[in-house]
Amino acid sequence: AMVAEELRLPVDDVFSSFSEPVAAASIAQVHRATLRASGQDVAVKVLRPGIERAFRRDIDAFYFAARTIEFLSPSARRLRPMAVIVHFEGVVLGELDLRLECSAASEFADNTKNDAGFQVPKPVWDLSGRTVMTLDWAEGINLADNAAIDAAGLDRRALGARVLQLFLAQIGRA
């Protein structure tokens, strides 16, 4: 329902398949889906229902605590509790707008497009919004799963060196 509301389209009109969550975190869950028009597999990240309201409630409690600390302990004002909460609120609100994550993913994909052996899922902009983000599906192996890496015939040392090279290249571009 949240996907249909955000995209302003019935889910069945857009996707020929739409899985149960394949990954979940505190603020969102990810579904594997297939675009009806092209057959392309995509990942659809959806904010959890009510997460914005829950964060708003928590942030309001933090503001109350910061004001109380500043009132009851004037010496604590040097730690600027209200400024800390203002910064925290900005970070949280940014995390709750998936358009910003789409933008970052798009920029990252553009920055790495010429990196051999490295591919970043690109956002599907017309199927993304504030509470839903759709991007290319990426198959992979968890880097912590040594057995799967070995079973795939990958050289863990070479893989580790490549990951480090790509990481350092990104730092150099920042």
Side-chain angles (χ1 to χ4, degrees):
M2 289 185 66
V3 173
E5 182 179 333
E6 179 70 46
L7 301 181
R8 295 188 175 100
L9 295 166
V11 172
D12 290 340
D13 287 1
V14 180
F15 304 103
S16 59
S17 68
F18 198 93
S19 76
E20 290 297 315
V22 295
S26 58
I27 68 168
Q29 56 192 30
V30 177
H31 303 263
R32 184 176 186 161
T34 304
L35 298 179
R36 184 170 295 286
S38 66
Q40 175 188 1
D41 285 334
V42 293
V44 182
K45 183 175 182 178
V46 185
L47 288 184
R48 291 187 178 277
I51 193 68
E52 293 166 286
R53 187 172 49 256
F55 266 108
R56 181 79 263 156
R57 191 173 46 246
D58 291 347
I59 290 169
D60 289 346
F62 289 143
Y63 274 118
F64 174 76
R67 282 191 297 276
T68 302
I69 289 167
E70 285 187 357
F71 177 76
L72 294 177
S73 178
S75 63
R77 289 183 192 146
R78 67 182 172 77
L79 301 174
R80 301 177 33 203
M82 287 296 289
V84 170
I85 303 309
V86 167
H87 175 74
F88 175 73
E89 180 180 26
V91 170
V92 167
L93 294 178
E95 290 292 319
L96 294 176
D97 187 341
L98 295 181
R99 295 172 298 192
L100 298 175
E101 189 171 338
C102 269
S103 179
S106 183
E107 184 177 348
F108 188 53
D110 191 49
N111 286 340
T112 59
K113 68 183 174 201
N114 296 323
D115 291 349
F118 188 71
Q119 186 176 356
V120 175
K122 294 182 184 81
V124 181
W125 282 99
D126 59 328
L127 297 177
S128 298
R130 195 175 57 75
T131 62
V132 173
M133 180 172 93
T134 304
L135 48 127
D136 299 335
W137 181 262
E139 284 293 338
I141 299 171
N142 186 322
L143 285 177
D145 190 346
N146 288 331
I149 291 170
D150 293 342
L154 299 171
D155 177 345
R156 282 191 267 154
R157 284 190 183 272
L159 183 60
R162 185 66 183 135
V163 168
L164 182 58
Q165 288 170 345
L166 291 166
F167 176 74
L168 293 174
Q170 282 303 304
I171 290 173
R173 291 183 192 132

